[in-house]
Amino acid sequence: MSEIRFYHLQSQPLEKALPALLSKAYENGHKILVKAPADKIEGLNEALWTFRADSFLPHGSAKDGHEEHQPILITDGDENSNGADVLILTHNLESPHTAEFKLCCEVFDGRIQEHVQAARSRWSAYKEQGFTLTYWQQTAGGGWDKKA
């Protein structure tokens, strides 16, 4: 059964927090699928190119082609084109394939009450299904505190 981690954004927007999460997963040898709305993909792509001048996260989207070769693939679809073992869900999106990944990270914006409520509902549903769950709350400095 997959592990599901909830990341509650509070002090930084997704574009600032996501690169650090992706860096850690990539450094640990994971291939990653990031699901985002179509109108947010280019912004996330840009954030990954510019988040730190001294590093590079190999990534791409469908418009770049060769999805199967992308270590980090940003998409609005549910197909695991790059053979990822980590799924990151953004912008309150869901996936019917969560159980197929070793790890699923739900990153939600704590400033949007609708997203907080939806995350609580998904937490309850995942718990009923027997997933291993953890909850991480963003600190003022952009780090993460494990709360549950």
Side-chain angles (χ1 to χ4, degrees):
M1 186 66 56
S2 300
E3 175 186 356
I4 300 178
R5 297 178 187 168
F6 282 77
Y7 288 93
H8 186 158
L9 297 171
Q10 292 190 296
S11 61
Q12 292 180 333
L14 177 67
E15 294 77 15
K16 295 282 187 192
L18 184 62
L21 293 172
L22 290 173
S23 292
K24 186 164 180 104
Y26 179 71
E27 288 167 7
N28 286 324
H30 295 286
K31 283 186 113 177
I32 306 144
L33 184 69
V34 178
K35 185 173 179 182
D39 64 336
K40 302 293 184 185
I41 291 174
E42 194 54 40
L44 292 176
N45 188 32
E46 182 65 24
L48 295 181
W49 280 112
T50 60
F51 85 100
R52 228 172 30 208
D54 64 341
S55 70
F56 169 71
L57 277 173
H59 69 281
S61 65
K63 83 169 196 162
D64 299 315
H66 306 287
E67 292 179 26
E68 69 278 8
H69 299 297
Q70 301 291 352
I72 300 170
L73 178 63
I74 308 169
T75 182
D76 63 345
D78 284 307
E79 186 175 329
N80 188 358
S81 303
N82 66 337
D85 63 333
V86 173
L87 172 64
I88 297 183
L89 298 170
T90 69
H91 297 89
N92 209 30
L93 296 179
E94 298 181 48
S95 173
H97 304 292
T98 303
E100 298 170 18
F101 294 85
K102 180 177 182 179
L103 172 64
C104 174
C105 300
E106 294 239 3
V107 184
F108 66 98
D109 192 329
R111 297 168 295 180
I112 303 172
Q113 193 57 35
E114 173 186 312
H115 290 198
V116 173
Q117 287 302 114
R120 287 179 179 150
S121 294
R122 287 192 304 275
W123 175 281
S124 295
Y126 288 140
K127 189 171 185 174
E128 286 178 17
Q129 295 172 48
F131 287 96
T132 300
L133 303 173
T134 56
Y135 168 74
W136 300 80
Q137 191 173 63
Q138 193 175 45
T139 66
W144 299 98
D145 281 339
K146 186 176 180 181
K147 298 290 187 174

